Protein backbone atom coordinates (compact mmCIF):
# COMPACT_ATOMS: atom_id res chain seq x y z
CA UNK A 1 0.00 0.00 0.00
CA UNK A 2 1.29 3.43 -0.95
CA UNK A 3 1.62 5.58 2.14
CA UNK A 4 2.93 9.03 2.97
CA UNK A 5 3.39 10.09 6.58
CA UNK A 6 4.23 13.69 7.40
CA UNK A 7 5.78 14.86 10.62
CA UNK A 8 7.43 17.92 12.08
CA UNK A 9 4.52 20.32 12.29
CA UNK A 10 3.74 22.32 15.38
CA UNK A 11 3.55 25.76 16.91
CA UNK A 12 6.34 28.18 16.05
CA UNK A 13 6.83 31.88 16.68
CA UNK A 14 6.90 34.38 13.81
CA UNK A 15 10.35 34.42 12.27
CA UNK A 16 11.06 30.90 13.45
CA UNK A 17 11.98 27.76 11.57
CA UNK A 18 10.54 24.29 11.18
CA UNK A 19 11.46 21.22 9.15
CA UNK A 20 8.72 18.99 7.84
CA UNK A 21 9.44 15.40 6.89
CA UNK A 22 7.46 13.02 4.74
CA UNK A 23 8.25 9.33 4.91
CA UNK A 24 7.11 7.32 1.90
CA UNK A 25 6.46 3.62 1.45
CA UNK A 26 4.81 1.24 -0.97
CA UNK A 27 6.28 2.60 -4.21
CA UNK A 28 9.62 3.24 -5.88
CA UNK A 29 10.27 6.58 -4.22
CA UNK A 30 13.30 7.42 -6.34
CA UNK A 31 11.18 7.35 -9.52
CA UNK A 32 8.68 10.02 -8.58
CA UNK A 33 8.67 13.75 -8.16
CA UNK A 34 7.30 14.82 -4.80
CA UNK A 35 5.23 17.87 -3.93
CA UNK A 36 4.08 19.91 -0.96
CA UNK A 37 0.62 21.49 -0.97
CA UNK A 38 -0.78 23.54 1.90
CA UNK A 39 -4.21 24.53 3.07
CA UNK A 40 -4.78 27.42 5.45
CA UNK A 41 -7.65 26.95 7.93
CA UNK A 42 -10.95 27.15 6.09
CA UNK A 43 -9.21 28.00 2.81
CA UNK A 44 -8.36 26.30 -0.46
CA UNK A 45 -5.32 24.41 -1.67
CA UNK A 46 -2.06 26.16 -2.47
CA UNK A 47 0.87 24.62 -4.34
CA UNK A 48 3.99 25.18 -2.27
CA UNK A 49 6.99 23.30 -3.60
CA UNK A 50 8.14 20.37 -5.69
CA UNK A 51 11.28 18.34 -6.28
CA UNK A 52 12.28 16.05 -9.10
CA UNK A 53 12.98 12.39 -8.47
CA UNK A 54 16.76 12.83 -8.29
CA UNK A 55 16.55 16.11 -6.39
CA UNK A 56 18.16 18.03 -9.21
CA UNK A 57 15.23 20.35 -9.92
CA UNK A 58 13.03 22.21 -7.50
CA UNK A 59 10.04 24.55 -7.62
CA UNK A 60 8.77 27.10 -5.14
CA UNK A 61 5.70 29.26 -5.17
CA UNK A 62 6.68 32.88 -5.71
CA UNK A 63 5.45 33.91 -2.28
CA UNK A 64 7.85 31.45 -0.63
CA UNK A 65 11.10 31.83 -2.48
CA UNK A 66 14.07 32.26 -0.27
CA UNK A 67 12.26 31.09 2.86
CA UNK A 68 11.48 27.44 2.11
CA UNK A 69 13.84 24.71 0.89
CA UNK A 70 12.73 21.33 -0.38
CA UNK A 71 15.05 18.34 -0.41
CA UNK A 72 14.89 14.57 -0.50
CA UNK A 73 16.89 11.55 0.59
CA UNK A 74 16.13 8.66 -1.71
CA UNK A 75 18.06 6.28 0.53
CA UNK A 76 15.57 7.06 3.30
CA UNK A 77 12.47 7.42 1.10
CA UNK A 78 11.92 10.82 2.67
CA UNK A 79 11.23 14.31 1.41
CA UNK A 80 11.75 17.41 3.53
CA UNK A 81 10.52 20.96 3.62
CA UNK A 82 12.74 23.33 5.57
CA UNK A 83 10.79 26.45 6.45
CA UNK A 84 12.36 29.60 7.84
CA UNK A 85 11.27 33.17 8.39
CA UNK A 86 7.81 31.85 9.14
CA UNK A 87 4.88 34.24 9.07
CA UNK A 88 1.33 34.05 10.37
CA UNK A 89 0.14 33.54 6.80
CA UNK A 90 2.15 30.30 6.62
CA UNK A 91 -0.24 28.76 9.14
CA UNK A 92 -1.74 25.79 7.35
CA UNK A 93 -1.97 22.05 7.03
CA UNK A 94 0.94 20.93 4.88
CA UNK A 95 0.34 17.91 2.68
CA UNK A 96 3.06 15.77 1.15
CA UNK A 97 1.94 14.47 -2.23
CA UNK A 98 3.31 11.80 -4.53
CA UNK A 99 3.61 12.78 -8.16
CA UNK A 100 1.38 10.99 -10.59
CA UNK A 101 3.37 10.36 -13.74
CA UNK A 102 6.59 8.80 -12.53
CA UNK A 103 8.63 10.57 -15.17
CA UNK A 104 10.88 11.93 -12.47
CA UNK A 105 10.14 15.52 -13.36
CA UNK A 106 7.71 17.73 -11.50
CA UNK A 107 6.94 19.59 -14.73
CA UNK A 108 3.38 18.96 -15.83
CA UNK A 109 3.00 16.47 -13.03
CA UNK A 110 -0.24 15.86 -11.15
CA UNK A 111 -1.04 14.68 -7.66
CA UNK A 112 -1.56 11.04 -6.81
CA UNK A 113 -1.38 9.94 -3.18
CA UNK A 114 -1.68 12.56 -0.41
CA UNK A 115 -0.42 12.24 3.12
CA UNK A 116 -2.67 12.97 6.07
CA UNK A 117 -1.09 16.39 6.51
CA UNK A 118 0.77 18.08 9.32
CA UNK A 119 -0.40 21.31 10.93
CA UNK A 120 1.93 24.28 11.14
CA UNK A 121 0.82 27.16 13.33
CA UNK A 122 2.80 30.39 13.33
CA UNK A 123 1.84 32.51 16.30
CA UNK A 124 3.36 34.33 19.23
CA UNK B 1 -7.23 35.16 -5.60
CA UNK B 2 -6.93 31.82 -7.36
CA UNK B 3 -5.66 31.53 -10.93
CA UNK B 4 -8.56 29.19 -11.74
CA UNK B 5 -12.10 30.28 -10.99
CA UNK B 6 -14.68 27.98 -9.45
CA UNK B 7 -18.07 28.77 -7.94
CA UNK B 8 -17.70 28.71 -4.14
CA UNK B 9 -20.73 26.50 -3.69
CA UNK B 10 -23.05 24.11 -5.46
CA UNK B 11 -25.93 21.98 -4.30
CA UNK B 12 -28.33 19.30 -5.38
CA UNK B 13 -30.73 16.71 -4.11
CA UNK B 14 -30.05 12.98 -4.07
CA UNK B 15 -30.23 11.49 -7.55
CA UNK B 16 -29.74 14.81 -9.30
CA UNK B 17 -26.94 15.73 -11.68
CA UNK B 18 -24.74 18.67 -10.73
CA UNK B 19 -21.85 20.31 -12.48
CA UNK B 20 -18.93 22.31 -11.16
CA UNK B 21 -17.17 24.70 -13.49
CA UNK B 22 -13.53 25.72 -13.58
CA UNK B 23 -12.45 28.70 -15.65
CA UNK B 24 -8.91 29.55 -16.59
CA UNK B 25 -6.92 30.96 -19.47
CA UNK B 26 -4.53 30.14 -22.29
CA UNK B 27 -1.39 29.34 -20.25
CA UNK B 28 -3.22 26.93 -18.00
CA UNK B 29 -6.45 25.13 -18.86
CA UNK B 30 -6.32 25.71 -22.60
CA UNK B 31 -2.80 24.30 -22.89
CA UNK B 32 -2.76 21.53 -20.30
CA UNK B 33 -4.66 18.68 -18.76
CA UNK B 34 -7.16 19.45 -16.02
CA UNK B 35 -7.38 17.43 -12.82
CA UNK B 36 -10.06 17.29 -10.17
CA UNK B 37 -9.60 16.47 -6.50
CA UNK B 38 -12.23 15.63 -3.91
CA UNK B 39 -11.77 16.58 -0.28
CA UNK B 40 -14.22 14.97 2.09
CA UNK B 41 -14.75 16.76 5.41
CA UNK B 42 -11.73 16.47 7.70
CA UNK B 43 -9.66 14.45 5.26
CA UNK B 44 -6.87 14.97 2.75
CA UNK B 45 -7.78 15.54 -0.89
CA UNK B 46 -7.81 12.59 -3.23
CA UNK B 47 -7.69 12.41 -7.02
CA UNK B 48 -11.04 12.23 -8.78
CA UNK B 49 -10.33 12.97 -12.44
CA UNK B 50 -7.03 12.84 -14.34
CA UNK B 51 -6.20 14.23 -17.78
CA UNK B 52 -9.51 16.05 -18.24
CA UNK B 53 -11.76 13.01 -18.15
CA UNK B 54 -9.98 9.90 -16.84
CA UNK B 55 -11.11 8.31 -13.60
CA UNK B 56 -8.63 6.60 -11.27
CA UNK B 57 -9.58 3.07 -10.34
CA UNK B 58 -12.18 3.05 -7.61
CA UNK B 59 -13.85 6.31 -8.63
CA UNK B 60 -17.48 5.66 -9.63
CA UNK B 61 -18.50 6.42 -13.18
CA UNK B 62 -21.01 8.88 -11.74
CA UNK B 63 -18.10 11.31 -11.84
CA UNK B 64 -17.02 12.69 -15.20
CA UNK B 65 -14.83 15.49 -16.43
CA UNK B 66 -14.66 17.55 -19.58
CA UNK B 67 -12.68 20.42 -21.01
CA UNK B 68 -13.30 22.94 -23.73
CA UNK B 69 -10.99 25.83 -24.48
CA UNK B 70 -10.19 27.68 -21.29
CA UNK B 71 -12.84 25.99 -19.17
CA UNK B 72 -13.41 22.61 -17.60
CA UNK B 73 -16.29 20.97 -15.81
CA UNK B 74 -16.87 18.21 -13.32
CA UNK B 75 -20.22 16.46 -13.51
CA UNK B 76 -21.67 14.27 -10.81
CA UNK B 77 -24.72 12.26 -11.71
CA UNK B 78 -26.95 10.29 -9.38
CA UNK B 79 -25.92 12.54 -6.52
CA UNK B 80 -25.43 10.78 -3.17
CA UNK B 81 -25.06 12.11 0.35
CA UNK B 82 -21.47 10.86 0.48
CA UNK B 83 -20.58 13.18 -2.40
CA UNK B 84 -20.83 16.13 -0.04
CA UNK B 85 -17.31 17.50 -0.16
CA UNK B 86 -15.05 20.24 -1.48
CA UNK B 87 -13.98 19.88 -5.11
CA UNK B 88 -10.87 21.46 -6.57
CA UNK B 89 -9.74 21.77 -10.16
CA UNK B 90 -6.04 22.03 -10.93
CA UNK B 91 -3.77 22.26 -13.92
CA UNK B 92 -0.27 23.22 -14.94
CA UNK B 93 0.33 26.87 -15.76
CA UNK B 94 2.97 27.43 -18.43
CA UNK B 95 3.53 31.04 -17.37
CA UNK B 96 4.06 30.22 -13.72
CA UNK B 97 5.74 26.88 -14.40
CA UNK B 98 3.76 25.35 -11.58
CA UNK B 99 0.44 23.80 -10.67
CA UNK B 100 -2.46 26.16 -10.09
CA UNK B 101 -5.67 25.37 -8.23
CA UNK B 102 -9.18 26.66 -8.34
CA UNK B 103 -10.53 28.13 -5.15
CA UNK B 104 -12.66 25.07 -4.51
CA UNK B 105 -16.39 24.38 -4.67
CA UNK B 106 -18.29 23.18 -1.62
CA UNK B 107 -20.94 20.72 -2.73
CA UNK B 108 -23.96 20.31 -0.47
CA UNK B 109 -26.39 17.46 -0.89
CA UNK B 110 -29.75 18.74 0.26
Amino acid sequence: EVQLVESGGGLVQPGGSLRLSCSASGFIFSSYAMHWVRQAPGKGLEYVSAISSNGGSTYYADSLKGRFTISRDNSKNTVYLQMSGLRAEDTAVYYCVKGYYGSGSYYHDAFDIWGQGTMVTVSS
Amino acid sequence: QSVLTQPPSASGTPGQRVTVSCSGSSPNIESNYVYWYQQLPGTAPKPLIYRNNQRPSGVPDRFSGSKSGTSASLAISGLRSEDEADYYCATWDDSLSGVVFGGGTKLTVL
Side-chain angles (χ1 to χ4, degrees):
Chain A
E1 179 194 5
V2 175
Q3 198 169 12
L4 299 171
V5 178
E6 302 98 332
S7 60
L11 175 63
V12 61
Q13 291 190 337
S17 299
L18 214 54
R19 188 177 85 155
L20 306 183
S21 299
C22 171
S23 178
S25 60
F27 64 101
I28 303 174
F29 181 74
S30 59
S31 293
Y32 289 85
M34 295 296 295
H35 308 264
W36 288 95
V37 175
R38 72 182 181 182
Q39 185 171 35
K43 302 297 184 181
L45 303 174
E46 180 185 10
Y47 191 42
V48 172
S49 185
I51 188 166
S52 61
S53 59
N54 64 5
S57 298
T58 57
Y59 165 87
Y60 302 96
D62 283 344
S63 60
L64 305 173
K65 280 179 181 172
R67 297 192 299 123
F68 288 16
T69 302
I70 190 172
S71 61
R72 66 191 293 161
D73 185 338
N74 286 346
S75 69
K76 295 182 178 179
N77 286 1
T78 301
V79 61
Y80 306 96
L81 187 67
Q82 178 69 47
M83 306 183 294
S84 61
L86 285 163
R87 307 166 181 166
E89 53 264 36
D90 295 318
T91 294
V93 173
Y94 285 72
Y95 294 103
C96 170
V97 192
K98 171 184 172 287
Y100 175 67
Y101 286 108
S103 68
S105 173
Y106 66 81
Y107 260 70
H108 292 269
D109 202 359
F111 305 132
D112 187 10
I113 304 300
W114 299 60
Q116 85 286 354
T118 187
M119 184 71 203
V120 172
T121 303
V122 183
S123 174
S124 56
Chain B
Q1 196 79 354
S2 302
V3 174
L4 307 180
T5 301
Q6 296 180 238
S9 63
S11 64
T13 56
Q16 263 191 331
R17 181 178 186 272
V18 297
T19 61
V20 178
S21 62
C22 176
S23 177
S25 58
S26 175
N28 44 69
I29 288 182
E30 188 169 48
S31 306
N32 296 289
Y33 289 122
V34 176
Y35 302 83
W36 291 89
Y37 301 93
Q38 178 192 55
Q39 186 175 32
L40 296 168
T43 69
K46 69 171 190 178
L48 195 64
I49 296 288
Y50 284 124
R51 292 190 170 191
N52 302 334
N53 55 22
Q54 306 300 306
R55 287 185 307 278
S57 63
V59 174
D61 59 7
R62 302 185 296 105
F63 294 90
S64 61
S66 63
K67 188 187 97 165
S68 178
T70 60
S71 294
S73 289
L74 171 71
I76 309 172
S77 60
L79 197 62
R80 303 176 69 161
S81 58
E82 56 260 41
D83 299 333
E84 194 160 278
D86 293 324
Y87 293 86
Y88 294 90
C89 59
T91 187
W92 186 263
D93 189 293
D94 292 331
S95 296
L96 300 174
S97 292
V99 171
V100 291
F101 285 101
T105 298
K106 183 175 184 62
L107 175 64
T108 301
V109 181
L110 302 169

